[in-house]
Amino acid sequence: MTRITAKETIVSKPEDHLSQAIQLALDNVQTRKGRPFGAVLVKDGQVVATGVNTVLSSHDPTAHAELQAIREAARAQGSPRLDGHVMYASGHPCPMCLAAMYLAGIRQVCYAYSNEDGEPYGLSTRELYAELAKPLAAQAMQLSYLPLRPAGQEPYEAWRQLNTAPLANS
């Protein structure tokens, strides 16, 4: 990824970022690193991070282009919050990537290829979206709530105490 210095003048259009995401996807396929997906994360007209799908080369089912860009940006900025960023993705984001964007505070996404475009190539997540739209009891994955509470301090209570304790220097 090319880093842009603060002194450079940024003239960018959404189409430029989307074209970059598509080129990343094409390069990813041609170099046989993964599936045809690329992502460009932008804030205030500047490219903050990019990512490509490396599921096949990394054997990591979560190594989607959008998640790779989110991880890179969060590490670089030292924060899990990416409010004000815009995601440009070559393809329609899957539910996992969409959820990650929500969790990170990304509220704008532009994509070039729809689930319908990807369907003939086995690159659609339409069926997964349909599955997740069902009530939990009707979904194929069994999700069980087992309220186990071992003796001692609970993790949620430890989190609350840590995050409500006064700072040492205040």
Side-chain angles (χ1 to χ4, degrees):
M1 185 186 109
T2 303
R3 297 275 181 207
I4 299 171
T5 65
K7 295 179 183 178
E8 293 181 62
T9 303
I10 306 300
V11 178
S12 64
K13 299 181 293 193
E15 295 83 4
D16 296 337
H17 301 305
L18 205 48
S19 292
Q20 183 181 1
I22 294 167
Q23 188 61 52
L24 286 167
L26 182 59
D27 293 347
N28 199 46
V29 170
Q30 291 173 338
T31 58
R32 298 184 182 268
K33 291 183 182 170
R35 295 179 177 146
F37 298 104
V40 178
L41 194 56
V42 174
K43 181 160 188 194
D44 299 328
Q46 288 190 340
V47 174
V48 175
T50 62
V52 294
N53 181 296
T54 60
V55 169
L56 300 177
S57 61
S58 69
H59 310 291
D60 177 355
T62 69
H64 290 200
E66 298 90 338
L67 291 183
Q68 303 285 44
I70 288 169
R71 289 173 183 141
E72 180 182 332
R75 276 192 298 267
Q77 296 180 56
S79 173
R81 297 299 304 176
L82 300 173
D83 299 278
H85 289 67
V86 179
M87 180 67 75
Y88 294 90
S90 60
H92 187 282
C94 75
M96 175 181 63
C97 292
L98 196 63
M101 287 183 256
Y102 270 109
L103 290 170
I106 298 168
R107 295 296 181 259
Q108 186 176 353
V109 182
C110 298
Y111 61 94
Y113 291 87
S114 69
N115 272 323
E116 292 76 21
D117 295 330
E119 190 83 38
Y121 306 96
L123 298 171
S124 173
T125 56
R126 180 186 56 78
E127 289 181 8
L128 182 53
Y129 273 104
E131 179 70 16
L132 292 173
K134 296 176 186 175
L136 285 177
Q139 292 181 15
M141 180 186 291
Q142 182 181 351
L143 188 64
S144 302
Y145 173 62
L146 302 173
L148 179 63
R149 303 294 189 266
Q153 189 175 27
E154 293 187 15
Y156 287 8
E157 179 59 25
W159 175 255
R160 185 190 64 76
Q161 289 177 10
L162 180 68
N163 286 286
T164 57
L167 297 175
N169 293 337
S170 48

